[in-house]
Amino acid sequence: PAAASPIPPGLADVMPSLTPSQRDLVTALCSPPANQSHLFSSWPASSTNGDKAAKISLIEQLESMDQSYPTGGLLGYISNARALLEKSRKGENPLEGWTPQVPRGEAFEVGTDRWATVEKKGLKYLGKCGFVLVAGGLGERLGYGDIKVRSIEPYI
């Protein structure tokens, strides 16, 4: 078995100030198979209070991300990313067999009764919605030969 990556000196400096779960997380991130010690390698070995607070703040953010990633935390994320990159390197498409489709929608004329009814209904759920706007370009890599997002209405 490979030896664990050493904890960078700037991380070792704050280890006593971390919670047990934070120590476990950063140790796992620095060790194989994660090998993410570069995240901490530029930290100064001796911290001022301001440096220490900034270091702990980053570790708190990492801990939050670790808790929010549903399949294995940050270690699962790293593993999944590496697997997807390897598939990409081999030319494998993780979406093989899927057929992209333009979703059915409905067009409304602004100001009509139907528009007002649907808008009122939609506004009730607006705070529970998430919106994603994909980066530009075509979707050829996904097997779709058209633009990914098209609007028939001008927006300000």
Side-chain angles (χ1 to χ4, degrees), residues 105-123:
E106 190 173 339
F108 300 98
E109 188 175 327
V110 176
T112 64
D113 289 342
R114 177 76 177 132
W115 174 82
T117 300
V118 173
E119 181 185 47
K120 184 176 179 180
K121 184 184 263 187
L123 286 174

Side-chain angles (χ1 to χ4, degrees), residues 26-37:
V26 296
T27 300
L29 288 172
C30 290
S31 302
N35 295 318
Q36 298 296 303
S37 61

Side-chain angles (χ1 to χ4, degrees), residues 52-126:
K52 194 173 201 176
K55 291 175 180 182
I56 291 171
S57 176
L58 175 64
I59 293 167
E60 287 171 347
Q61 291 174 49
L62 290 169
E63 183 178 40
S64 176
M65 288 185 277
D66 184 62
Q67 292 167 354
S68 66
Y69 191 72
T71 52
L74 286 175
L75 298 179
Y77 177 86
I78 292 165
S79 175
N80 188 42
R82 287 181 175 152
L84 288 170
L85 285 169
E86 179 61 19
K87 286 179 179 180
S88 176
R89 186 188 67 75
K90 292 178 179 177
E92 296 176 19
N93 181 354
L95 302 177
E96 190 69 40
W98 290 27
T99 305
Q101 301 175 43
V102 176
R104 262 187 342 135
E106 190 173 339
F108 300 98
E109 188 175 327
V110 176
T112 64
D113 289 342
R114 177 76 177 132
W115 174 82
T117 300
V118 173
E119 181 185 47
K120 184 176 179 180
K121 184 184 263 187
L123 286 174
K124 283 191 337 190
Y125 298 100
L126 190 60

